[in-house]
Amino acid sequence: MRKTTKFLSVALAATMLFGCASSKDTSKTNNSGSTESASGEIKAENKPSFEDANILQFNEIKKYTDSTLGLVAWFKITNKGKNPIYYFSPTFNFLDKDGNQLCDDSRFREFEVDSNKSACIQTYSSFDDNEMDKVKKIKTIEIKSYEYYTADKQYTVDLQNKTVEVIKREDYNNANFNEKNVLSFSTTPKTNDGIQVDYTIKNTGSNPIKELSYNVVYQDKDKNIIDEDSRFTDSLLNPNKSVSSTSYYTQDYFESDVKNYKTTSYEYTLTKKDENGFNHYVINLEQKTCKGSFEE
């Protein structure tokens, strides 16, 4: 399969706000009745237990050696909690036969995983070229810790020390979602030469867009997420005009499981500042959030 569309991995992780420690009681009560500090950290008496917060289940599903990446492994991560999560980031430890750490690797995914649904994530050993002989010494991969976001909180779960930290998520919205959700996506899936989705993207807004990117997840028949893809175009997109793009599913060993796809988020940059003083917007179609900023 030939990929003729320019590719860009888009990281849309929300920025979290950490405050400084203080001897004063700066706690406040939020609308749900729980208590949190001014920095957003949830006070100890209101934190969930490790057992309650440890909601992600990890299962290794495939492992192989690559001459460039080293040891590559795919894990299925299942949300065993009661609510959807919108971001997760595990840290993997690569261990030798004696349990010594040879390297570690952190990965993240930012899309919705509903309760009792799963998503796949890839990790690989991180060695310099002159250290690739260490790949043969790897015997196991363990998950050291992970983070995940719910609608209003960020959780950090330490699996080694069996601890959990929780902070309140920053309000992601600073612009009107309905007004700035200006891209319309029309899609046509194809399966003749692998799996691909042809996109027609229309600018329904009133301002020219100089570049955009979008994120797609590929799902099995039960809407579990197998993989994701991100695409980018820097073709000028004037109001009421359209641009074409193509998303590809590239992992051949999961190809037969792909039955569905979904556009989860996108971002775009205007040719100049708008009435809000912004020229860049990040749109999350799952959470219906909109984050505007100005980029030089």
Side-chain angles (χ1 to χ4, degrees):
M1 181 190 304
R2 296 284 183 182
K3 298 186 181 180
T4 57
T5 306
K6 185 177 179 181
F7 173 78
L8 176 69
S9 296
V10 182
L12 301 176
T15 302
M16 306 312 300
L17 183 62
F18 294 87
C20 298
S22 172
S23 60
K24 296 181 180 179
D25 183 5
T26 58
S27 64
K28 62 181 179 179
T29 301
N30 64 21
N31 293 334
S32 64
S34 65
T35 305
E36 60 194 41
S37 68
S39 68
E41 184 177 357
I42 308 301
K43 296 189 71 174
E45 61 267 27
N46 293 286
K47 285 184 181 179
S49 66
F50 171 81
E51 290 74 18
D52 288 340
N54 182 24
I55 63 170
L56 298 189
Q57 176 181 299
F58 295 80
N59 296 102
E60 185 180 300
I61 55 177
K62 186 175 180 63
K63 186 164 59 179
Y64 61 91
T65 300
D66 181 270
S67 59
T68 302
L69 301 177
L71 184 65
V72 180
W74 282 87
F75 282 79
K76 182 173 78 170
I77 298 177
T78 303
N79 177 10
K80 306 301 287 186
K82 297 179 181 179
N83 300 305
I85 63 172
Y86 298 97
Y87 168 98
F88 63 91
S89 176
T91 296
F92 301 91
N93 279 350
F94 292 74
L95 308 176
D96 66 12
K97 62 181 179 64
D98 298 317
N100 299 309
Q101 179 181 311
L102 297 172
C103 67
D104 63 5
D105 182 50
S106 295
R107 299 285 150 179
F108 79 90
R109 292 288 184 268
E110 187 162 8
F111 43 64
E112 180 179 350
V113 182
D114 208 349
S115 176
N116 292 316
K117 296 297 182 180
S118 65
C120 294
I121 193 168
Q122 182 192 66
T123 181
Y124 56 85
S125 56
S126 303
F127 295 120
D128 294 333
D129 291 343
N130 59 354
E131 296 181 312
M132 290 298 284
D133 60 312
K134 291 183 179 180
V135 173
K136 297 179 181 179
K137 297 180 180 181
I138 298 173
K139 295 302 178 183
T140 58
I141 304 173
E142 70 172 14
I143 294 85
K144 175 184 178 182
S145 60
Y146 64 89
E147 294 183 356
Y148 65 90
Y149 297 172
T150 60
D152 61 346
K153 293 182 178 65
Q154 174 185 341
Y155 293 78
T156 302
V157 180
D158 186 329
L159 296 175
Q160 293 185 329
N161 297 307
K162 298 189 183 304
T163 59
V164 59
E165 295 296 330
V166 189
I167 64 172
K168 186 177 183 296
R169 288 183 64 186
E170 178 188 8
D171 185 3
Y172 194 68
N173 285 288
N174 67 352
N176 188 295
F177 172 83
N178 291 326
E179 291 180 359
K180 298 306 175 182
N181 179 23
V182 299
L183 295 186
S184 172
F185 296 89
S186 301
T187 61
T188 304
K190 296 181 179 179
T191 56
N192 293 332
D193 183 18
I195 296 174
Q196 69 180 62
V197 181
D198 291 338
Y199 273 77
T200 300
I201 306 169
K202 184 177 181 180
N203 179 3
T204 66
S206 57
N207 297 307
I209 293 173
K210 68 177 182 179
E211 60 184 28
L212 65 90
S213 61
Y214 61 95
N215 301 294
V216 188
V217 295
Y218 289 88
Q219 302 168 312
D220 66 13
K221 62 181 178 63
D222 297 317
K223 301 298 179 69
N224 296 304
I225 298 170
I226 298 173
D227 205 359
E228 68 173 345
D229 184 36
S230 300
R231 296 286 151 175
F232 169 88
T233 177
D234 57 3
S235 298
L236 179 66
L237 185 56
N238 285 310
N240 296 314
K241 299 299 181 181
S242 299
V243 65
S244 297
S245 180
T246 301
S247 170
Y248 296 89
Y249 178 74
T250 59
Q251 305 298 339
D252 294 339
Y253 40 88
F254 291 141
E255 186 174 297
S256 62
D257 295 329
V258 175
K259 303 298 181 185
N260 194 31
Y261 62 92
K262 180 172 67 170
T263 310
T264 59
S265 59
Y266 67 89
E267 59 185 280
Y268 62 90
T269 302
L270 303 173
T271 56
K272 60 181 180 180
K273 289 191 294 185
D274 64 6
E275 72 280 1
N276 295 324
F278 301 143
N279 66 350
H280 185 82
Y281 287 92
V282 178
I283 307 294
N284 189 307
L285 296 172
E286 294 180 314
Q287 298 184 69
K288 298 190 184 309
T289 58
C290 173
K291 181 75 170 181
S293 61
F294 177 75
E295 296 188 351
E296 296 290 348

